Amino acid sequence: MAVPIRTTVAALCAGLMATLFTTVPAQAGQREHVWAVSEAAHAPRARISLDDTTGKLSLSVSRDGRTVLEPSPVGIVTEQADLSQGLRFLHRKDRQVNERYRTTSGKRLDRKVRMQETRLSFAGADGARVDLVVRASADGVAYRYVLPAGHGDVLGEASAFNLPADAGAWLSTYRVDNEGQFAQYTAATAPTGAYSEQALFSTPGGYALLAESDLTGSYSGAQLAHTQGTGSYRIQLADQRVHTDGALATTWRAMVTGDLATVTRSTFTDDLAPSAKVADRSWIKPGTVLWTWLAGGKEAGQSLAAQKAYVDYAAERGWPYEAVDAGWYYKPGEWDITDPDWQTNSWMPELVEYARAKGVGIVVWIHQRDLDTPEERAQWLPTLERWGVKGVKIDFMNSEAQSMLQWYDIILPETAAHHLMVDFHGSTIPKGIQRTWPQVMTLEGVGGEEKRTNTAAHLTTLPFTRNVIGSMDFTPGAFQRVGLRPNSDAAEVGLTVAYESGLQMFAGTPASYDERPLARAYFDQVPAAWDDTRLLAGAPGQEAVVARRSGNRWFIGGVYAGAARTAEVPVNLGPGRWLVQTIQDGAEGLVQDSRVLRNGDTLSADIVANGGFAALACPWRPGVTTCYR
């Protein structure tokens, strides 16, 4: 009887997996145990090794036999035990993680997860226990420590990432608000110091982006400590002592890896995070936002008349939200919150009702210090919900210490309970939070449009670093900031697509949009949630061309650093012919061009120095002359 091909392939795959997940037995003279974890033959392969002499663990990552991560120390130290050495192997357990989930925002709404998980259990010299849980998928490797109750507070990790010394490195100096600029080095030549964990490296086995996932108040945030001359980047926790009560599963130490297109498209850090804790998500609606801070500053925030004018403009354009930033609950020199009649005296309910009648939702800024006690949250959150406010932009957390992460653990369910979407500023970066708490539409954690020192190289690095981790509130579109931003007008249009954000805040003034009707018309089309994302061309620090699909239309954003050039971008959007309408910089301002291209053709675009372009593509057939609706 003939054996079906499908059965044969399945048997071969099962045999391959059995080979990959076999523990190398200890033999005479052998001084280590070795375990390998991989999801498929050509996927990243994690190799965990226990030195039987020292009892130290290390982990390395390769792809198709080529190094991604060199053997790197693994271990954790608690009050009760040093679990970074003196370990002996107890047992292992394997399972496959298969999940499907849907997000409310992000680079791809529908997600499919397939990971291989290996759990290795060890005992320390004094009998203390620790489990090392390792997961591997097609686009990443991650591990975490699991400790039983009674281990005491965590004093630190031995965890480090050892990269090849000559690996290309794109690093951001660590700041508590995660707003440092990215600069390029090699792994060894980067100056001694602390760096954000969202660090990108180019290795013989592909690109590798370091990250975290499932970071909560049970643990502490991390930064990378580096000494110049080595390729080692050590995990340094924000707290010298992480307080624990009972069993503990630490954050995932993650590495997104593959070619640049794979890294850019990856949802690995979301995939590692717990499932959504919000059952009814019908009220969570991503969208574009007219943001008034760079357009009018605090003075606009103190004026009901000014805010109504912004609402009128958003309604005219069909933009679904308007954001009222700092100033709306200020009195000159003091906080309105000190006034017992502040809720009665506020003009916000009038603005919300005015906006609602015009089909515009209101998002309001609020300082974290006004939400840091139960009494303040009980005062603010129900009131904002009663007024009809759609979302809150919470600012100035400026910490990844355990105490602040515990505050996040409180504010997240409370904002969900009051049907308030959230934009965190002065914050941590997403780290899986958007899967677990889908009302979190975006987070800052980036050197964004407000900065006066950004470089074009920084702008072209963000799609491969910070924005890989999750939604990024860069606030593009500030055309009025000529001389304060490093890019061209066409590049500024392109940023609205190159950078993903569930609430995409347009930072320009109405006058600046009216002076650029092509940009304004493009903004009218841009959605804030996507069905798919593809990298069409890219090199960190040099260029990034990202295509995002909504329905049957592809939006394309290209940003460049360096001299003027003619860009040649492959149109890999799907079979058939495509009508592609581009916006580029011209001698007299923005210009538009339309052409019909077959899939696989090259799109040429004239790029000015530190410039870019935007495009909208839709399926072409006879009679189709525009992709705009």
Side-chain angles (χ1 to χ4, degrees):
M1 176 175 162
V3 178
I5 293 176
R6 183 180 304 168
T7 303
T8 304
V9 172
L12 289 171
C13 290
L16 175 61
M17 289 296 101
T19 300
L20 289 173
F21 301 122
T22 299
T23 303
V24 178
Q27 300 176 358
Q30 184 173 323
R31 298 179 58 188
E32 66 178 4
H33 285 76
V34 177
W35 303 267
V37 186
S38 184
E39 193 275 319
H42 299 288
R45 184 175 187 265
R47 182 182 187 273
I48 306 97
S49 174
L50 174 66
D51 186 304
D52 290 333
T53 301
T54 64
K56 293 183 178 182
L57 280 168
S58 66
L59 181 145
S60 62
V61 178
S62 63
R63 183 188 287 270
D64 291 329
R66 305 187 67 177
T67 298
V68 178
L69 180 71
E70 295 179 344
S72 303
V74 174
I76 190 168
V77 179
T78 74
E79 281 184 311
Q80 303 300 323
D82 180 354
L83 296 169
S84 67
Q85 59 184 339
L87 299 177
R88 58 185 175 85
F89 174 65
L90 298 177
H91 54 80
R92 68 176 289 170
K93 183 178 181 181
D94 297 318
R95 73 182 183 106
Q96 195 169 71
V97 179
N98 290 297
E99 299 173 338
R100 287 182 179 271
Y101 67 98
R102 183 173 174 85
T103 64
T104 54
S105 61
K107 63 185 78 173
R108 188 169 62 256
L109 296 182
D110 288 308
R111 315 279 180 87
K112 182 179 179 180
V113 180
R114 181 182 173 89
M115 301 182 192
Q116 189 67 34
E117 179 183 286
T118 292
R119 188 181 189 115
L120 303 171
S121 297
F122 301 93
D126 59 357
R129 297 281 299 275
V130 62
D131 287 355
L132 179 69
V133 183
V134 182
R135 285 187 180 180
S137 74
D139 58 352
V141 169
Y143 67 87
R144 75 190 321 173
Y145 308 107
V146 178
L147 299 168
H151 54 74
D153 292 347
V154 172
L155 304 182
E157 294 184 22
S159 314
F161 297 91
N162 292 341
L163 283 304
D166 59 352
W170 292 267
L171 305 172
S172 171
T173 300
Y174 182 77
R175 291 173 42 143
V176 293
D177 57 8
N178 290 290
E179 294 179 22
Q181 286 192 32
F182 282 89
Q184 184 175 355
Y185 310 94
T186 66
T189 60
T192 297
Y195 295 95
S196 169
E197 196 176 20
Q198 46 175 324
L200 178 69
F201 299 90
S202 176
T203 75
Y207 284 88
L209 177 67
L210 306 186
E212 287 182 285
S213 183
D214 194 16
L215 176 63
T216 69
S218 66
Y219 208 58
S220 177
Q223 55 192 268
L224 299 173
H226 171 65
T227 301
Q228 191 173 38
T230 75
S232 180
Y233 290 78
R234 295 182 297 102
I235 291 295
Q236 181 174 300
L237 298 179
D239 297 277
Q240 293 185 347
R241 177 184 291 265
V242 180
H243 299 290
T244 62
D245 181 16
L248 172 68
T250 69
T251 182
W252 289 102
R253 300 269 164 250
M255 172 180 282
V256 184
T257 184
D259 60 23
L260 201 57
T262 298
V263 171
T264 306
R265 191 174 186 266
S266 175
T267 60
F268 187 55
T269 52
D270 283 344
D271 298 344
L272 289 164
S275 299
K277 296 184 179 181
V278 180
D280 175 18
R281 291 180 269 176
S282 60
W283 53 276
I284 305 172
K285 297 178 180 179
T288 54
V289 187
L290 176 58
W291 180 49
T292 63
W293 179 255
L294 288 185
K298 187 185 296 184
E299 292 73 20
Q302 293 174 338
S303 169
L304 174 60
Q307 292 301 322
K308 284 185 174 181
Y310 288 121
V311 166
D312 291 343
Y313 193 83
E316 177 188 343
R317 306 286 356 130
W319 300 349
Y321 299 106
E322 189 250 358
V324 185
D325 214 285
W328 71 271
Y329 65 102
Y330 273 118
K331 287 179 181 177
E334 64 177 292
W335 293 94
D336 258 354
I337 196 72
T338 61
D339 183 344
D341 296 320
W342 72 274
Q343 295 182 18
T344 303
N345 294 336
S346 176
W347 46 257
M348 185 56 69
E350 181 180 345
L351 177 67
V352 172
E353 179 57 28
Y354 180 85
R356 186 199 62 77
K358 291 177 174 284
V360 176
I362 296 296
V363 177
V364 299
W365 178 94
I366 186 169
H367 201 294
Q368 186 274 336
R369 67 187 175 195
D370 293 308
L371 294 171
D372 63 356
T373 68
E375 294 77 16
E376 288 169 337
R377 292 189 293 273
Q379 184 178 38
W380 274 103
L381 300 180
T383 299
L384 295 174
E385 181 184 24
R386 185 174 66 252
W387 287 349
V389 167
K390 299 300 183 183
V392 286
K393 174 181 173 180
I394 307 175
D395 208 344
F396 294 115
M397 282 66 71
N398 288 348
S399 173
E400 292 182 316
Q402 185 179 26
S403 59
M404 184 57 72
L405 295 175
Q406 290 170 343
W407 173 86
Y408 281 99
D409 290 346
I410 295 170
I411 200 68
L412 287 164
E414 291 192 1
T415 51
H418 291 288
H419 299 126
L420 293 168
M421 296 184 293
V422 180
D423 172 5
F424 286 119
H425 265 235
S427 64
T428 183
I429 58 177
K431 301 181 182 180
I433 194 174
Q434 290 182 275
R435 178 184 181 185
T436 309
W437 297 103
Q439 83 275 18
V440 179
M441 307 308 292
T442 192
L443 299 88
E444 189 180 28
V446 66
E449 194 77 272
E450 289 180 276
K451 302 301 178 188
R452 296 173 180 238
T453 56
N454 280 344
T455 65
H458 171 66
L459 301 190
T460 60
T461 304
L462 291 174
F464 312 116
T465 50
R466 165 64 182 85
N467 212 186
V468 173
I469 308 301
S471 292
M472 179 177 78
D473 195 12
F474 182 90
T475 67
F479 296 110
Q480 75 277 14
R481 289 172 66 83
V482 176
L484 298 178
R485 53 183 171 86
N487 58 347
S488 71
D489 279 359
E492 198 69 18
V493 181
L495 290 182
T496 63
V497 177
Y499 297 164
E500 181 276 319
S501 180
L503 289 176
Q504 186 67 282
M505 301 266 181
F506 296 152
T509 63
S512 71
Y513 299 135
D514 292 342
E515 291 166 359
R516 298 165 178 82
L518 289 176
R520 184 186 61 194
Y522 192 85
F523 287 3
D524 292 349
Q525 303 292 311
V526 173
W530 304 99
D531 296 311
D532 199 3
T533 291
R534 294 181 185 177
L535 178 68
L536 300 185
Q542 300 176 45
E543 65 174 354
V545 183
V546 180
R548 303 190 194 274
R549 181 174 63 83
S550 176
N552 68 348
R553 297 191 299 170
W554 286 91
F555 293 75
I556 303 171
V559 291
Y560 295 79
R565 74 198 74 174
T566 298
E568 303 287 342
V569 179
V571 179
N572 295 319
L573 305 178
R577 294 185 177 185
W578 294 88
L579 174 62
V580 183
Q581 297 178 267
T582 63
I583 296 174
Q584 303 176 43
D585 294 294
E588 302 288 330
L590 296 174
V591 296
Q592 189 174 60
D593 175 74
S594 296
R595 67 199 83 173
V596 177
L597 298 172
R598 291 184 181 275
N599 192 59
D601 285 351
T602 297
L603 172 66
S604 296
D606 293 329
I607 308 298
V608 301
N610 296 331
F613 74 95
L616 180 53
C618 60
W620 179 85
R621 62 182 184 278
V624 174
T625 59
T626 183
C627 297
Y628 287 66
R629 297 171 180 167

